[in-house]
Amino acid sequence: MPKHITSDQYIGNPHNLSAKGIIHPDIERHDHSGDTDRYLLPTLFAGEQGIVITAKYPGPGVFHITEGEWHVEDMAQPGHTTLLKPGSVFHVEEGSIIRWNTKSPTGAKGYLTY
């Protein structure tokens, strides 16, 4: 049975990603009848206006934007940015290096799983 994380556990366990951004990560372990257990890392994230973060991803992930706007740039294609708005879904491949930036006056939020 998976371990489910309640929202109050996320709210009480923030991790400062930078001066203007936080994430709330936790690990969800799924029992598996075979030899290998499966893990998911569900993460809530938020960034204030002006945050710029460049990150390399250890595995594939899917981001869902819930508030504000994020400008994302895949560093494999420098100069090409994509605007993500609420409802946008963004997939990253293992090893991708992505630059995140929010210019939204109220900041931006979302969640990801990888």
Side-chain angles (χ1 to χ4, degrees), residues 30-64:
H30 294 262
D31 293 327
H32 190 266
S33 60
D35 295 334
T36 307
D37 288 334
R38 307 285 184 210
Y39 294 89
L40 290 175
L41 181 61
T43 304
L44 300 176
F45 59 90
E48 295 177 22
Q49 180 183 23
I51 188 172
V52 178
I53 295 173
T54 302
K56 182 175 182 178
Y57 292 90
V62 177
F63 291 80
H64 185 267

Side-chain angles (χ1 to χ4, degrees), residues 12-97:
N13 188 28
H15 170 72
N16 289 322
L17 186 60
S18 73
K20 295 184 178 187
I22 59 170
I23 60 173
H24 298 273
D26 215 326
I27 295 174
E28 186 173 301
R29 177 182 173 271
H30 294 262
D31 293 327
H32 190 266
S33 60
D35 295 334
T36 307
D37 288 334
R38 307 285 184 210
Y39 294 89
L40 290 175
L41 181 61
T43 304
L44 300 176
F45 59 90
E48 295 177 22
Q49 180 183 23
I51 188 172
V52 178
I53 295 173
T54 302
K56 182 175 182 178
Y57 292 90
V62 177
F63 291 80
H64 185 267
I65 308 308
T66 58
E67 295 180 31
E69 295 179 345
W70 290 94
H71 298 261
V72 295
E73 179 180 8
D74 183 344
M75 300 313 290
Q77 300 174 353
H80 175 74
T81 60
T82 301
L83 177 62
L84 303 177
K85 297 180 177 187
S88 295
V89 175
F90 182 69
H91 178 260
V92 296
E93 294 290 335
E94 180 176 354
S96 295
I97 300 173

